């Protein structure tokens, strides 16, 4: 799985400064952080709606959840790229949390998170 994330990170880095007329990623960066965050929010909402339909056994919605989650992850990676945050930092944070009780991890966070 890390291979596809690494490949995607490379493509996102290459396309960040490409021509916005020919690259969707470049067009998002060109429009700025607010547009990228709007897309993250839109994809999060679509993921939630697809999951709700899947939970209600609406035909074909399991694949929609996968597709919408892929869109959400993609736009989240664009956001990280725009902010200069390496996606490996997120993977490292997940690895740090692995094997730690979610309740214990949350309790150990500073109160502002």
């Amino acid at each position: 799985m890390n291979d596809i994330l690494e490949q995607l990170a490379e493509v996102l880095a290459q396309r960040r400064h490409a021509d916005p007329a020919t690259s969707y990623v470049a067009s998002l960066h060109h429009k700025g952080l607010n547009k990228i965050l709007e897309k993250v929010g839109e994809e999060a909402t679509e993921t939630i709606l697809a999951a709700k339909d899947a939970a209600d056994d609406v035909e074909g919605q399991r694949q929609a959840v996968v597709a919408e989650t892929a869109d959400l992850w993609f736009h989240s990676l664009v956001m990280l790229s725009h902010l200069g945050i390496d996606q490996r930092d997120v993977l490292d944070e997940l690895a740090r949390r692995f094997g730690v009780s979610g309740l214990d991890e949350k309790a150990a966070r500073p109160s502002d998170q």
Side-chain angles (χ1 to χ4, degrees):
M1 181 168 81
N2 284 353
D3 289 343
I4 191 66
L5 289 176
E6 289 294 329
Q7 291 172 18
L8 185 53
E10 288 177 28
V11 170
L12 291 176
Q14 292 168 0
R15 294 189 183 162
R16 180 173 182 170
H17 300 291
D19 181 358
T22 61
S23 168
Y24 176 68
V25 171
S27 73
L28 287 173
H29 285 292
H30 181 75
K31 291 173 186 173
L33 182 60
N34 283 346
K35 182 62 177 178
I36 295 167
L37 296 176
E38 179 183 309
K39 288 300 297 180
V40 171
E42 176 185 315
E43 298 303 343
T45 299
E46 290 174 1
T47 301
I48 290 166
L49 294 173
K52 179 68 175 141
D53 287 345
D56 291 339
D57 288 330
V58 173
E59 184 68 31
Q61 281 308 114
R62 294 182 66 79
Q63 181 54 41
V65 173
V66 171
E68 294 301 343
T69 301
D71 289 346
L72 176 58
W73 288 9
F74 173 83
H75 287 90
S76 295
L77 291 169
V78 173
M79 175 196 66
L80 291 172
S81 172
H82 193 81
L83 295 170
I85 299 171
D86 192 306
Q87 52 94 9
R88 287 175 289 211
D89 293 342
V90 176
L91 295 174
D92 289 346
E93 177 63 14
L94 288 171
R96 183 191 68 77
R97 294 179 184 187
F98 193 76
V100 175
S101 161
L103 295 174
D104 291 342
E105 191 281 328
K106 188 172 181 180
R109 292 184 200 169
S111 61
D112 63 332
Q113 289 188 358

